[in-house]
Amino acid sequence: MTLSNYSSTELKLDVERKISILTSEQAKASLGVDIAPSLQWVGFATNNAVTNKGKKAWSEAQGLPSVWILGMFNPAPGTLVVAPFKKAGSGEIVNDRYFGKLGADRLRVNEEKAFVLFKCDGKFRSKIGLSATRAQAVIGSYSPQAKLLTIVRYTRPKGANRYVNNLWEIQKQPYSGDVNNAYNDGPVEPGKPALGGFYELESSSPAAALAPGASLKHVHETFHFTGPREALDAISTKVLGVSLADVESAGM
């Protein structure tokens, strides 16, 4: 495909996307935890590659693309996104400026245990993101009523710090964007319907400063688990680093 960005830079690129259902062995290798027989689950992965097919290298000055994956889900009752973050990171913990700052009824930050909770009910348009200094290589969500735990893991190259800023504005810092995001759908304006009443768990690759013929790959894995709380808690504690008790105790 050929695309032009806001700077009128023409980008000639080849995109390859492979979608696969994950086996229990692959899930265990990715998550580092055994999946209890009492759980029902599905896991799938998208392996995404973008290649510079032009004759010139892509540069920061002219604008860089990235791979951006959005998983869209129906919000089960009481769904909370769980975003662990790096305590030692610099700058703000969470960016909630996309559609307006959020109150404590929608967004909580547990600085002691290093995780963010974001209410996703499909009824209030809002979005959060974690930057390159804060984001872990995982994000998830949990519905206690549905006994449903969702885990998203994605490629996070060591040392990568240039991520495309996807705030809807003319960019002053175009490569200080977020690594992962969560979006909650809702009415675009008062009296208008929501786009669909979904929520999203998103990941981005670093900005692709590619020479001609060079490629960037980004893998995004999604797992849905449902079943006994004890078995779900074992996965959440191991993979997200957050117990379900800590999620539930927020009272959101």
Side-chain angles (χ1 to χ4, degrees), residues 164-193:
V164 173
N165 190 333
N166 54 30
L167 283 167
W168 291 358
E169 61 187 23
I170 304 299
Q171 299 295 335
K172 295 180 180 179
Q173 296 179 308
Y175 304 110
S176 63
D178 295 324
V179 176
N180 66 36
N181 295 94
Y183 170 78
N184 184 46
D185 193 33
V188 177
E189 56 184 86
K192 299 290 185 180

Side-chain angles (χ1 to χ4, degrees), residues 219-240:
V219 179
H220 181 105
E221 297 176 334
T222 303
F223 301 88
H224 298 295
F225 301 95
T226 184
R229 183 184 180 283
E230 182 179 357
L232 296 176
D233 183 58
I235 294 175
S236 180
T237 301
K238 173 68 175 180
V239 182
L240 294 174

Side-chain angles (χ1 to χ4, degrees), residues 2-230:
T2 300
L3 304 173
S4 294
N5 63 17
Y6 188 81
S7 301
S8 299
T9 301
E10 187 176 82
L11 302 170
K12 294 183 178 181
L13 58 149
D14 182 78
V15 176
E16 182 178 351
R17 178 172 168 84
K18 179 181 178 181
I19 304 172
S20 57
I21 300 296
L22 300 175
T23 66
S24 57
E25 291 79 12
Q26 290 172 319
K28 180 179 178 180
S30 175
L31 300 174
V33 63
D34 289 314
I35 300 174
S38 59
L39 291 176
Q40 292 184 306
W41 69 280
V42 64
F44 54 94
T46 64
N47 193 319
N48 310 275
V50 59
T51 302
N52 181 353
K53 302 296 286 187
K55 296 181 180 180
K56 295 181 179 180
W58 294 341
S59 68
E60 286 190 12
Q62 293 181 314
L64 298 175
S66 71
V67 177
W68 183 20
I69 305 297
L70 292 74
M72 304 170 70
F73 311 116
N74 290 322
T79 295
L80 294 175
V81 165
V82 185
F85 64 85
K86 297 177 182 178
K87 273 189 175 183
S90 60
E92 65 183 355
I93 292 175
V94 59
N95 171 16
D96 65 343
R97 297 185 300 277
Y98 288 93
F99 297 104
K101 302 289 287 184
L102 296 171
D105 61 328
R106 289 277 166 184
L107 181 66
R108 302 277 181 89
V109 178
N110 189 320
E111 294 193 45
E112 179 186 356
K113 297 186 177 181
F115 68 90
V116 172
L117 293 179
F118 174 46
K119 186 174 182 179
C120 284
D121 54 5
K123 298 178 180 179
F124 186 82
R125 197 181 198 204
S126 47
K127 183 173 180 176
I128 65 167
L130 273 65
S131 69
T133 67
R134 293 291 189 178
Q136 304 281 13
V138 65
I139 189 171
S141 63
Y142 175 60
S143 166
Q145 291 94 322
K147 298 181 179 179
L148 174 63
L149 174 69
T150 296
I151 301 287
V152 168
R153 288 180 56 84
Y154 55 89
T155 306
R156 182 75 210 280
K158 187 176 181 180
N161 57 16
R162 293 184 302 181
Y163 284 81
V164 173
N165 190 333
N166 54 30
L167 283 167
W168 291 358
E169 61 187 23
I170 304 299
Q171 299 295 335
K172 295 180 180 179
Q173 296 179 308
Y175 304 110
S176 63
D178 295 324
V179 176
N180 66 36
N181 295 94
Y183 170 78
N184 184 46
D185 193 33
V188 177
E189 56 184 86
K192 299 290 185 180
L195 298 177
F198 54 88
Y199 77 101
E200 297 176 347
L201 296 176
E202 312 172 4
S203 73
S204 292
S205 75
L210 299 177
S215 299
L216 176 147
K217 293 184 178 180
H218 183 70
V219 179
H220 181 105
E221 297 176 334
T222 303
F223 301 88
H224 298 295
F225 301 95
T226 184
R229 183 184 180 283
E230 182 179 357

